[in-house]
Amino acid sequence: MAEASTQGYREVTFGAVTLGVIQGAVMTAAFVYIGMKLGFGLPGSTVAAILGFALLRGVGRNVFGVQGAGSIVENNINQTIASGINTASAGVVFTFPALYLLGLGGEIDFPIIIVSAIAGSFMGIVVIIPLRKQMIEIERLKFPSGVAVATILKSPGAGMDKAVLLGAGFVVSLGITLATKFEVLPETLEIGAWIKDAIDGPDKGAGGVVLAGTALSLSMANFGAGLLSGKGGLAFAVGGILAWWIIAPFAAAQGWVPAEAAGEDLKWAVYGANLRPVGIGVLIGGALMGVVMSYPALKGAISSLRAAAKLAKTGEASNDELPPSVLGFGMVGAFLALFAVAIVGSEGAFATALSVALAGTIWLGLAGLIVAQATGATDISPLSGLALIAVTLMLALTANNIMLAVTIGVAVCVATNQCADMMSDLKTGHLVGSVPRRQQLVQFMVAWIGPAIAVGTVWLLWQGGPGGTDGFGPDSQACVDQTVDCLPAPQAGALQGMVEGVVSGQAPLDKYLAGGAIGLGLALFPIGGLGVLIGLAMYLPFEITLGYGIGCVASMTLEKMKGRRFYADVLVPVAAGFIVGEALTSLSLTLIKLAGS
Amino acid sequence: MRLLGFGIFVIGLTVASWYAAYVPEGTGAERIGNWASFAGLPFGLGFAAMLLGVALARYSKKREDPAAASEGASSGDAPSALEQIEIIAGQLDELVAEELNAQQVSVDAEALAGRIDAILSEDVPVFLDAREKIIERYGLETFAELIGHFAVMERATARAWSAITDQAYEEVPPSLTKAKDAIHRTLEVARSAAGR
């Protein structure tokens, strides 16, 4: 007989909060640096959950002798805090450094940028309150990373069989990730190119783009996300087929691509000029109509929050939810913060500031819905596309006031990332039995930390250049000299390009509008989330959607052959192992690479 | 008719997507005008076909569903959604009726975790399979209320399982009681919606 704990069930504890804050702060600074150096973000939740296990459970119990330390729900709180802080890094890295690259570094008003980022961080949490009910409880989206983290948290009690499957998935993923990173295997299987070589196929025109575009990513995390999503993610794979086997060859056949483009160049030309902008439009149109179509559910979600608050008041049930009033106050507060930022940024132009704050708040809610739906179904967040639209919208409203547009863009990006990340943590919490109100409250407590650290880190990196300036960007001295200190800031460079394109009138507004109309039509069809999933598929290269789609089909087939229990007992731990294995291996390799340089 | 609607929708989607991908000359409003003058008509026809397809699919769904819904929101040969809630309620009633205390939980922790896991891994998914049917029959708003209580049950049951794993046995009985209360509230909403 095991000895029962007498300390109560540990959930929100000093240890969990402290460890979460420390991990979150360190990860924020580190991930800002990694983002500036390599141009991609890394998953924080998985790392925080595993470190939490080691530190809260291992050290807490064995070194400090705290009985019951490192419980599953306590670790969920630690992970929620850490990733909640760290989530600001991606939002800031994508937007804020662009101001330096655009030559506006000298005009930056730091308190305003920080207020904007913090407002975004709070708004992201506020938007999640009804969305959690909508996406996790009503729509039952899978949130593959959330499921993977829950599988890790539950592994001590899940039995040896599941632990072995989790470990096996991890080892396979680790092996394949190492093999691709060390170029033993290619990162992408160029299936179309192989077929082209075998049959001496074309490298131009319709056939050329189909062959160049057909590829399969060897990302086990992507495959694992498909395994976890099953039938629910199939529309995403269908969207990839529509984009690369139907739209792309038609565009190439019609000559709507540069005449000289062939092979890989043709693929990326079609992707950049024809598919991606339409995909962004479809995402937005799909999400807009999705709000209209799911209005009764959103209304029901808010009523359900009210009912829960009432039950808690009368003592008939415990209070698991934040009341809907927090949503109202939060939105008003965040709107006022954005308005203040806009008033300062527009030098007192009341009408401009009001329109910017209103549009920013509305767009933020919509973008939150889009990322929540996209990550819920596929684990992929279309952050860059949404940031582009936010900045385009703001530039239009402010008559090309770049400083103000990017400042509001920082808020939108931080908020959107907050939505995706928090929703995944809430899904984990749902699966392990955490109380959502506690998760949301701790996230409110720490929401200001990440933006301040991320903005500060970018400033420090800029100051790190010769003479205290030009510390990053492709034109910085380190990058020109090609030294190891080079921080090219690729994401901010992309936004810089977008801003310059919008200001010079090159934005593909026609694609956004046409895509938006298609998204509206897709969302009207009686299959939930169709607009967002098809839009996301058009927004991504085919290797991602194909790998994910194979995971979906494999999951459906296996579940049909082996039964429902097989999904829970075998597919979930194996897929979780795939996701976690790739995340941790990539993170470790990245850190080793940076340490080495 | 649903198939016809789907077919028209797919054709419309294909045509609209083809012409959405056209890259016009120019910048700003001029660019949009150039796009519209070349691709506007075929795009518009494709978009109209999408809407027609949606209308047909929705109409046929509405016509076909009352028959299916009258079967009691059942999914295939699975028990009805209401019956499934009753099954889960019965299991939780049984667990709570055992009046377990922390000491008793610790004695047979593994078996208890297995019973709880069976609810979460076997019974909950059967109910969730009928999700679409329940929404069609009772509407999204009622479903939102129902699933809100159901989700509380899921979380509390999962918490009981986590507490057993963490050997925090004193947390198990209150979590199971909370789960039981929540599933009975779910049952109330379902019964009232079904008019029973």
Side-chain angles (χ1 to χ4, degrees):
Chain A
M1 184 186 83
E3 193 187 335
S5 162
T6 53
Q7 302 295 311
Y9 199 26
R10 293 172 65 85
E11 191 165 9
V12 182
T13 61
F14 179 75
V17 174
T18 309
L19 181 63
V21 169
I22 294 171
Q23 286 193 95
V26 172
M27 280 197 289
T28 304
F31 288 6
V32 165
Y33 179 76
I34 290 170
M36 301 284 275
K37 180 100 183 166
L38 305 174
F40 55 79
L42 291 161
S45 279
T46 321
V47 180
I50 288 169
L51 281 177
F53 246 132
L55 295 173
L56 287 172
R57 191 178 278 250
V59 178
R61 283 188 193 185
N62 302 324
V63 178
F64 294 108
V66 182
Q67 202 180 13
S71 75
I72 293 173
V73 289
E74 185 184 15
N75 201 2
N76 181 227
I77 290 290
N78 152 62
Q79 161 229 330
T80 301
I81 292 174
S83 65
I85 293 174
N86 164 58
T87 196
S89 59
V92 168
V93 162
F94 191 82
T95 46
F96 174 51
L99 287 175
Y100 287 103
L101 302 185
L102 287 158
L104 298 169
E107 297 168 33
I108 293 171
D109 188 340
F110 281 94
I112 290 295
I113 290 280
I114 291 174
V115 167
S116 181
I118 291 175
S121 188
F122 279 103
M123 273 172 122
I125 303 172
V126 165
V127 166
I128 286 165
I129 297 170
L131 287 186
R132 187 193 70 78
K133 283 209 104 46
Q134 165 80 7
M135 304 284 165
I136 294 176
E137 295 183 2
I138 298 174
E139 291 192 18
R140 294 275 155 179
L141 296 184
K142 298 282 187 182
F143 292 96
S145 279
V147 173
V149 172
T151 308
I152 294 173
L153 292 179
K154 288 166 77 176
S155 58
M160 191 47 80
D161 290 349
K162 284 188 187 173
V164 168
L165 290 167
L166 179 69
F170 184 93
V171 170
V172 169
S173 186
L174 175 125
I176 291 185
T177 309
L178 284 175
T180 54
K181 300 286 179 194
F182 289 103
E183 297 178 11
V184 178
L185 287 174
E187 286 199 9
T188 302
L189 300 178
E190 303 289 350
I191 300 167
W194 297 343
I195 295 172
K196 183 187 97 59
D197 291 342
I199 62 170
D200 197 19
D203 62 358
K204 284 190 169 192
V209 78
V210 167
L211 290 172
T214 304
L216 174 67
S217 163
L218 277 184
S219 160
M220 293 310 288
N222 189 33
F223 178 67
L227 276 181
L228 289 177
S229 299
K231 192 180 164 192
L234 211 54
F236 178 61
V238 171
I241 290 171
L242 172 73
W244 289 95
W245 288 352
I246 294 173
I247 304 173
F250 185 78
Q254 297 296 315
W256 299 342
V257 292
E260 68 283 0
E264 278 284 294
D265 290 345
L266 176 62
K267 168 185 167 177
W268 294 115
V270 169
Y271 173 65
N274 305 88
L275 297 179
R276 195 168 183 267
V278 175
I280 293 172
V282 175
L283 268 172
I284 296 165
L288 267 173
M289 187 48 80
V291 172
V292 176
M293 300 301 286
S294 60
Y295 174 72
L298 274 171
K299 202 173 139 202
I302 292 172
S303 308
S304 165
L305 287 170
R306 275 201 200 106
K310 237 184 227 170
L311 281 173
K313 240 183 203 170
T314 56
E316 288 171 65
S318 59
N319 194 358
D320 282 3
E321 314 274 1
L322 283 179
S325 54
V326 177
L327 171 67
F329 284 124
M331 287 308 272
V332 171
F335 167 78
L336 291 175
L338 281 192
F339 181 67
V341 167
I343 273 282
V344 176
S346 63
E347 291 169 354
F350 183 84
T352 304
L354 188 66
S355 62
V356 162
L358 255 179
T361 308
I362 293 169
W363 173 248
L364 203 147
L366 192 65
L369 185 81
I370 293 172
V371 287
Q373 224 163 21
T375 46
T378 67
D379 235 14
I380 298 165
S381 164
L383 183 66
S384 59
L386 298 175
L388 161 68
I389 295 296
V391 174
T392 306
L393 187 66
M394 292 307 145
L395 284 170
L397 289 173
T398 61
N400 292 341
N401 180 339
I402 296 173
M403 178 61 73
L404 180 55
V406 175
T407 304
I408 301 290
V410 171
V412 173
C413 256
V414 169
T416 343
N417 222 33
Q418 182 78 277
C419 279
D421 190 83
M422 181 75 194
M423 203 65 96
S424 202
D425 292 336
L426 287 166
K427 175 73 176 189
T428 305
H430 183 85
L431 295 172
V432 301
S434 295
V435 178
R437 182 172 51 89
R438 291 183 189 148
Q439 282 184 276
Q440 289 168 327
L441 281 174
V442 293
Q443 192 129 24
F444 266 120
M445 267 166 47
V446 301
W448 58 275
I449 299 174
I453 294 176
V455 170
T457 308
V458 171
W459 176 78
L460 276 174
L461 293 174
W462 182 255
Q463 299 289 317
T469 182
D470 284 306
F472 55 77
D475 298 329
S476 62
Q477 199 57 49
C479 289
V480 171
D481 297 343
Q482 297 185 350
T483 67
V484 290
D485 297 330
C486 168
L487 296 172
Q491 292 158 310
L495 187 66
Q496 174 198 9
M498 288 173 196
V499 169
E500 286 167 350
V502 172
V503 170
S504 64
Q506 296 294 328
L509 296 175
D510 51 296
K511 303 265 161 312
Y512 300 154
L513 292 172
I518 292 172
L520 292 178
L522 282 164
L524 282 169
F525 200 77
I527 296 178
L530 199 59
V532 169
L533 286 178
I534 300 263
L536 188 64
M538 287 185 184
Y539 172 84
L540 292 166
F542 198 27
E543 50 259 39
I544 306 283
T545 38
L546 189 57
Y548 177 91
I550 290 172
C552 293
V553 173
S555 173
M556 287 161 64
T557 311
L558 286 169
E559 197 178 334
K560 198 168 182 183
M561 282 165 59
K562 305 269 185 180
R564 183 195 308 283
R565 194 72 211 216
F566 183 80
Y567 176 83
D569 289 348
V570 178
L571 287 183
V572 170
V574 169
F578 287 163
I579 294 171
V580 175
E582 184 171 317
L584 291 187
T585 312
S586 299
L587 176 66
S588 307
L589 289 175
T590 305
L591 293 177
I592 291 167
K593 189 176 163 188
L594 289 177
S597 69
Chain B
M1 194 185 285
R2 190 184 282 199
L3 204 63
L4 177 70
F6 184 70
I8 294 174
F9 178 80
V10 170
I11 292 169
L13 171 64
T14 305
V15 174
S17 304
W18 275 344
Y19 285 90
Y22 170 65
V23 183
E25 295 288 326
T27 59
E30 183 200 3
R31 182 185 167 103
I32 296 173
N34 289 341
W35 176 84
S37 65
F38 177 83
L41 183 63
F43 176 85
L45 289 173
F47 184 63
M50 280 177 80
L51 296 183
L52 179 65
V54 166
L56 283 174
R58 283 192 170 272
Y59 175 71
S60 64
K61 195 170 180 219
K62 219 174 190 175
R63 265 184 36 165
E64 288 161 19
D65 281 340
S70 66
E71 298 298 317
S74 65
S75 90
D77 56 357
S80 78
L82 185 59
E83 281 167 15
Q84 192 59 31
I85 300 173
E86 282 165 352
I87 289 170
I88 298 171
Q91 286 169 338
L92 286 167
D93 284 346
E94 227 173 76
L95 281 169
V96 173
E98 289 172 22
E99 292 184 6
L100 299 165
N101 59 31
Q103 190 66 24
Q104 289 159 328
V105 171
S106 72
V107 172
D108 211 3
E110 205 174 309
L112 185 59
R115 286 167 74 186
I116 292 173
D117 188 43
I119 295 175
L120 291 169
S121 306
E122 291 167 16
D123 299 313
V124 166
V126 173
F127 169 76
L128 294 176
D129 274 353
R131 203 177 72 91
E132 292 296 330
K133 300 254 176 194
I134 305 169
I135 293 172
E136 282 159 19
R137 189 170 188 201
Y138 304 127
L140 258 174
E141 231 176 310
T142 303
F143 179 74
E145 189 189 350
L146 186 143
I147 202 74
H149 296 306
F150 190 84
V152 173
M153 180 279 296
E154 280 180 277
R155 275 201 309 274
T157 310
R159 190 176 180 88
W161 186 94
S162 295
I164 292 173
T165 301
D166 288 326
Q167 297 173 10
Y169 300 127
E170 71 281 16
E171 183 72 13
V172 179
S175 295
L176 289 175
T177 305
K178 183 176 173 180
K180 186 203 85 170
D181 293 346
I183 196 71
H184 280 283
R185 283 196 297 274
T186 314
L187 203 51
E188 255 172 57
V189 176
R191 280 182 179 148
S192 123
R196 287 201 209 169

